[in-house]
Coordinates of all heavy atoms in Angstrom, one line a residue:
E67 N 0.8 -1.2 0.0 CA 0.0 0.0 0.0 C 0.9 1.3 0.0 O 0.6 2.2 -0.7 CB -0.9 0.0 1.2 CG -2.0 -1.1 1.2 CD -1.6 -2.4 1.8 OE1 -0.3 -2.6 2.0 OE2 -2.4 -3.2 2.1
V68 N 1.9 1.3 0.8 CA 2.8 2.4 0.9 C 3.6 2.6 -0.4 O 3.7 3.8 -0.9 CB 3.8 2.3 2.1 CG1 4.9 3.3 2.0 CG2 3.0 2.4 3.4
I69 N 4.1 1.6 -1.0 CA 4.8 1.7 -2.3 C 3.9 2.2 -3.4 O 4.3 3.1 -4.1 CB 5.4 0.3 -2.7 CG1 6.5 -0.1 -1.8 CG2 5.8 0.3 -4.1 CD1 7.0 -1.5 -1.9
R70 N 2.7 1.7 -3.4 CA 1.8 2.2 -4.5 C 1.4 3.7 -4.3 O 1.4 4.5 -5.3 CB 0.5 1.4 -4.5 CG -0.5 1.7 -5.6 CD 0.0 1.7 -6.9 NE 0.8 0.5 -7.2 CZ 1.7 0.4 -8.2 NH1 1.9 1.4 -9.0 NH2 2.3 -0.7 -8.4
C71 N 1.2 4.1 -3.0 CA 1.0 5.5 -2.8 C 2.2 6.4 -3.1 O 2.0 7.5 -3.6 CB 0.5 5.7 -1.3 SG -1.1 5.1 -1.0
A72 N 3.4 5.9 -2.8 CA 4.6 6.7 -3.1 C 4.8 6.8 -4.6 O 5.1 7.9 -5.0 CB 5.8 5.9 -2.4
I73 N 4.6 5.8 -5.3 CA 4.8 5.9 -6.8 C 3.8 6.9 -7.3 O 4.1 7.7 -8.2 CB 4.5 4.5 -7.4 CG1 5.7 3.5 -7.2 CG2 4.3 4.6 -9.0 CD1 5.5 2.1 -7.6
T74 N 2.6 6.8 -6.8 CA 1.5 7.7 -7.4 C 1.8 9.2 -7.0 O 1.5 10.1 -7.8 CB 0.1 7.2 -6.9 OG1 0.0 5.8 -7.2 CG2 -1.0 8.0 -7.6
L75 N 2.3 9.4 -5.7 CA 2.6 10.8 -5.4 C 3.7 11.3 -6.3 O 3.7 12.5 -6.7 CB 3.1 10.8 -3.9 CG 2.0 10.7 -2.8 CD1 2.7 10.7 -1.4 CD2 1.0 11.7 -2.9
K76 N 4.7 10.5 -6.6 CA 5.7 10.9 -7.6 C 5.2 11.2 -8.9 O 5.6 12.2 -9.6 CB 6.8 9.8 -7.7 CG 8.0 10.3 -8.5 CD 9.2 9.3 -8.3 CE 10.3 9.6 -9.3 NZ 11.0 11.0 -9.1
L77 N 4.2 10.5 -9.4 CA 3.5 10.8 -10.7 C 2.8 12.1 -10.6 O 2.5 12.7 -11.7 CB 2.5 9.7 -11.0 CG 3.0 8.3 -11.4 CD1 1.8 7.4 -11.7 CD2 4.0 8.4 -12.5
C78 N 2.5 12.6 -9.4 CA 1.8 13.9 -9.3 C 2.8 15.1 -9.4 O 2.4 16.2 -9.2 CB 1.0 14.0 -8.0 SG -0.5 12.9 -8.1
Q79 N 4.1 14.8 -9.5 CA 5.1 15.9 -9.6 C 5.4 16.1 -11.1 O 5.6 15.2 -11.9 CB 6.4 15.5 -8.9 CG 7.5 16.6 -9.1 CD 8.6 16.5 -8.2 OE1 9.3 15.5 -8.2 NE2 8.9 17.5 -7.3
H80 N 5.3 17.4 -11.5 CA 5.7 17.8 -12.8 C 7.2 18.1 -12.7 O 7.7 19.1 -12.3 CB 5.0 19.1 -13.2 CG 5.3 19.5 -14.6 ND1 4.9 18.8 -15.7 CD2 6.0 20.6 -15.1 CE1 5.3 19.4 -16.8 NE2 6.0 20.5 -16.5
E81 N 8.0 17.1 -13.2 CA 9.4 17.1 -12.9 C 10.2 18.3 -13.5 O 11.2 18.7 -12.9 CB 10.0 15.8 -13.4 CG 11.5 15.6 -12.9 CD 11.9 14.2 -13.2 OE1 12.0 13.8 -14.4 OE2 12.2 13.4 -12.2
E82 N 9.7 18.8 -14.6 CA 10.4 19.8 -15.3 C 10.6 21.0 -14.4 O 11.7 21.7 -14.4 CB 9.6 20.3 -16.5 CG 10.2 21.3 -17.4 CD 9.4 21.8 -18.5 OE1 8.2 21.3 -18.6 OE2 9.9 22.5 -19.4
T83 N 9.6 21.3 -13.5 CA 9.7 22.5 -12.6 C 9.8 22.1 -11.2 O 10.2 22.9 -10.3 CB 8.5 23.4 -12.8 OG1 7.3 22.7 -12.4 CG2 8.3 23.9 -14.2
G84 N 9.4 20.9 -10.8 CA 9.3 20.4 -9.5 C 8.0 20.6 -8.8 O 7.8 20.1 -7.6
A85 N 7.0 21.2 -9.5 CA 5.7 21.4 -8.9 C 5.0 20.1 -8.6 O 5.2 19.1 -9.3 CB 4.8 22.3 -9.8
I86 N 4.1 20.1 -7.6 CA 3.4 18.9 -7.3 C 1.9 19.2 -7.3 O 1.5 20.2 -6.7 CB 3.7 18.3 -5.9 CG1 5.2 17.9 -5.8 CG2 2.8 17.1 -5.5 CD1 5.7 17.7 -4.4
V87 N 1.1 18.5 -8.1 CA -0.3 18.9 -8.2 C -1.1 18.1 -7.2 O -0.7 17.1 -6.7 CB -0.9 18.5 -9.7 CG1 -0.2 19.4 -10.7 CG2 -0.7 17.1 -10.0
A88 N -2.3 18.7 -6.8 CA -3.1 18.1 -5.8 C -3.8 16.8 -6.2 O -4.0 15.9 -5.4 CB -4.2 19.1 -5.3
A89 N -4.1 16.7 -7.5 CA -4.7 15.5 -8.1 C -4.5 15.6 -9.6 O -4.1 16.6 -10.2 CB -6.1 15.4 -7.8
L90 N -4.7 14.5 -10.3 CA -4.5 14.4 -11.8 C -5.8 14.9 -12.5 O -5.7 14.9 -13.8 CB -4.1 13.0 -12.2 CG -2.8 12.5 -11.6 CD1 -2.5 11.1 -12.0 CD2 -1.6 13.4 -12.0
T91 N -6.9 15.1 -11.8 CA -8.1 15.4 -12.5 C -8.7 16.8 -12.1 O -8.3 17.4 -11.2 CB -9.2 14.3 -12.1 OG1 -9.4 14.3 -10.7 CG2 -8.8 13.0 -12.6
T92 N -9.7 17.1 -12.9 CA -10.6 18.3 -12.5 C -12.0 17.8 -12.4 O -12.5 16.9 -13.1 CB -10.5 19.4 -13.6 OG1 -11.4 20.5 -13.2 CG2 -10.8 18.9 -15.0
S93 N -12.8 18.5 -11.6 CA -14.3 18.5 -11.6 C -14.9 17.2 -11.3 O -16.1 16.9 -11.7 CB -14.7 19.0 -13.0 OG -14.2 20.3 -13.2
I94 N -14.2 16.2 -10.6 CA -15.0 15.1 -10.1 C -15.7 15.6 -8.8 O -15.0 16.1 -7.9 CB -14.0 13.9 -9.7 CG1 -13.1 13.6 -10.8 CG2 -14.8 12.7 -9.2 CD1 -13.4 12.5 -11.8
P95 N -17.0 15.5 -8.7 CA -17.7 16.2 -7.6 C -17.3 15.6 -6.2 O -17.1 14.4 -6.1 CB -19.2 15.9 -7.9 CG -19.2 15.4 -9.3 CD -17.9 14.8 -9.6
E96 N -17.3 16.4 -5.2 CA -17.1 16.0 -3.9 C -18.2 15.1 -3.3 O -18.1 14.3 -2.4 CB -16.8 17.1 -2.9 CG -15.5 17.9 -3.3 CD -15.3 19.1 -2.4 OE1 -15.9 19.2 -1.3 OE2 -14.4 19.9 -2.7
A97 N -19.4 15.3 -3.9 CA -20.6 14.5 -3.6 C -21.5 14.7 -4.8 O -21.4 15.6 -5.6 CB -21.3 15.1 -2.3
A98 N -22.4 13.7 -5.0 CA -23.3 13.6 -6.2 C -24.1 15.0 -6.3 O -24.7 15.4 -5.3 CB -24.2 12.5 -6.1
H99 N -24.0 15.5 -7.5 CA -24.8 16.7 -7.8 C -24.6 17.9 -6.9 O -25.5 18.7 -6.7 CB -26.3 16.4 -7.8 CG -26.7 15.3 -8.7 ND1 -26.7 15.4 -10.1 CD2 -27.0 14.0 -8.5 CE1 -27.0 14.2 -10.7 NE2 -27.2 13.4 -9.7
S100 N -23.4 18.0 -6.3 CA -23.1 19.0 -5.3 C -22.6 20.3 -5.9 O -22.6 21.4 -5.3 CB -22.1 18.5 -4.3 OG -20.8 18.3 -5.0
E101 N -22.1 20.2 -7.2 CA -21.4 21.3 -7.9 C -20.1 21.7 -7.2 O -19.5 22.7 -7.5 CB -22.3 22.5 -8.1 CG -23.5 22.2 -9.1 CD -24.2 23.4 -9.6 OE1 -23.6 24.5 -9.6 OE2 -25.3 23.2 -10.2
R102 N -19.7 20.9 -6.2 CA -18.4 21.1 -5.6 C -17.4 20.4 -6.5 O -16.8 19.4 -6.2 CB -18.3 20.5 -4.2 CG -19.3 21.1 -3.2 CD -19.1 20.3 -1.9 NE -20.1 20.6 -0.9 CZ -19.9 21.4 0.2 NH1 -18.8 22.0 0.4 NH2 -20.9 21.6 1.1

């Protein structure tokens, strides 16, 4: 579990600049039909 999470956190880094994104997606709602 730890290895998989570590690999995925590394995938969230844009290596060219070093920035780390909060997630790989946009606009998946926090709850159904919430518009969050």
Side-chain angles (χ1 to χ4, degrees):
E67 291 88 344
V68 167
I69 288 169
R70 183 53 50 199
C71 289
I73 287 172
T74 308
L75 287 180
K76 186 169 171 64
L77 290 181
C78 290
Q79 181 165 57
H80 183 69
E81 190 171 63
E82 183 182 7
T83 62
I86 298 166
V87 296
L90 298 177
T91 57
T92 176
S93 304
I94 311 262
E96 293 178 18
H99 304 288
S100 64
E101 294 196 17
R102 297 176 189 260

